[in-house]
Amino acid sequence: GKRQASRAFSLYANIDILRPYFDVEPVQVRARLLESMIPVKMINFPQKIAGELYGPLMLVFTLVAILLHGMKTSDTIIREGTLMGTAIGTCFGYWLGVSSFMYFLAYLCNAQITMVQMLSLLGYGLFGHCITLFVTYNIHFHSLFYIFWLVVGGLSTLRMVAVLVSRTVGHTQRLILCGTLAALHMLFLLYLHFAYHKVVEGILDTLEGPNMPPFQRVARDIPVVSNAVVNTTAKAIALTL
């Protein structure tokens, strides 16, 4: 009993460490979603970054759901398990991987930002991606996608760039840090719209083989049997009985 109590206490303590990062009101999340589309104008002093992960985590799951919706509305033949794992791996891999890379780059450029703030900043930056992909997956016009890519995706990217500029000292450091983030963020949206479906189809063909047509039963041609053979067979059966 003492051992179980100690395990339960340690588990509760570990969960309690993460609680401040998810303790947020829905009204605050809504306000931060709107703010993620409005670039800041004042970059002379460090801009405030929300140190919570609830909103970014929900946006990543929303992006996963949008990718699944886009695959189902297309002509792609899918396997649910492989498709779900690929979407989760792509979205979480980008969020965690790019956040870690940008935090390391920010450390080299002497930017005043923590890992949690970078996760929050990049996570809320995916709100523009969710809007763009949700609209363009249902309305299939490349010109409409490019408009949303430039306007909606560009606004969310400018917001992140402005925040990083306000927290970085030096023109060269700002150029390296903000240029890298802007390029990765905008190219990721292009990848999700144009290349993600083809990559998933290639993965499915590699793991599970090419998409085979459904199995159909075809009636075989039965040779015509003469009446003599039928009569002979019937007489032999009658004699046996």
Side-chain angles (χ1 to χ4, degrees):
K2 181 180 179 181
R3 186 177 301 173
Q4 292 179 355
S6 62
R7 289 179 180 176
F9 179 77
S10 62
L11 179 62
Y12 178 79
N14 293 332
I15 295 176
D16 195 60
I17 293 174
L18 299 176
R19 183 175 299 174
Y21 302 114
F22 295 90
D23 188 11
V24 61
E25 297 294 332
V27 178
Q28 295 176 335
V29 175
R30 183 180 60 187
R32 288 164 184 169
L33 288 176
L34 295 177
E35 290 176 357
S36 66
M37 302 298 298
I38 304 175
V40 295
K41 297 180 180 179
M42 301 182 64
I43 58 175
N44 296 326
F45 57 92
Q47 295 293 323
K48 184 179 179 181
I49 302 176
E52 54 95 4
L53 300 177
Y54 175 77
L57 188 63
M58 292 301 102
L59 281 173
V60 174
F61 280 118
T62 303
L63 186 59
V64 171
I66 292 173
L67 290 180
L68 295 178
H69 171 71
M71 292 293 289
K72 289 181 179 180
T73 54
S74 64
D75 297 331
T76 306
I77 300 177
I78 59 176
R79 283 82 166 177
E80 294 293 338
T82 306
L83 183 61
M84 177 70 72
T86 306
I88 292 176
T90 301
C91 297
F92 276 90
Y94 172 78
W95 182 43
L96 299 176
V98 175
S99 297
S100 302
F101 175 73
M102 292 306 302
Y103 174 71
F104 174 72
L105 196 61
Y107 174 77
L108 297 179
C109 296
N110 295 324
Q112 301 175 6
I113 191 169
T114 62
M115 183 62 187
V116 176
Q117 289 176 338
M118 182 61 72
L119 287 170
S120 179
L121 182 65
L122 187 64
Y124 277 110
L126 293 174
F127 182 56
H129 286 34
C130 293
I131 296 176
T132 302
L133 293 177
F134 181 76
V135 174
T136 55
Y137 278 165
N138 293 281
I139 305 175
H140 303 283
F141 291 108
H142 289 303
S143 59
L144 181 65
F145 167 76
Y146 286 119
I147 294 174
F148 272 78
W149 179 68
L150 290 174
V151 177
V152 181
L155 287 176
S156 62
T157 304
L158 284 177
R159 168 73 182 191
M160 295 188 298
V161 167
V163 172
L164 283 181
V165 167
S166 67
R167 290 175 169 265
T168 309
V169 179
H171 296 287
T172 304
Q173 290 84 350
R174 288 177 176 179
L175 181 61
I176 294 174
L177 188 62
C178 298
T180 303
L181 179 60
L184 291 175
H185 201 64
M186 297 297 285
L187 290 176
F188 181 65
L189 183 54
L190 287 176
Y191 165 77
L192 291 180
H193 183 78
F194 290 106
Y196 175 74
H197 291 189
K198 297 180 181 179
V199 172
V200 172
E201 290 177 3
I203 293 175
L204 291 175
D205 292 340
T206 302
L207 295 179
E208 303 179 13
N211 297 326
M212 299 298 294
F215 179 76
Q216 297 179 354
R217 294 183 178 275
V218 180
R220 295 182 178 179
D221 295 333
I222 302 176
V224 179
V225 183
S226 61
N227 293 330
V229 175
V230 174
N231 295 333
T232 305
T233 305
K235 291 180 181 179
I237 294 175
L239 293 175
T240 304
L241 296 176

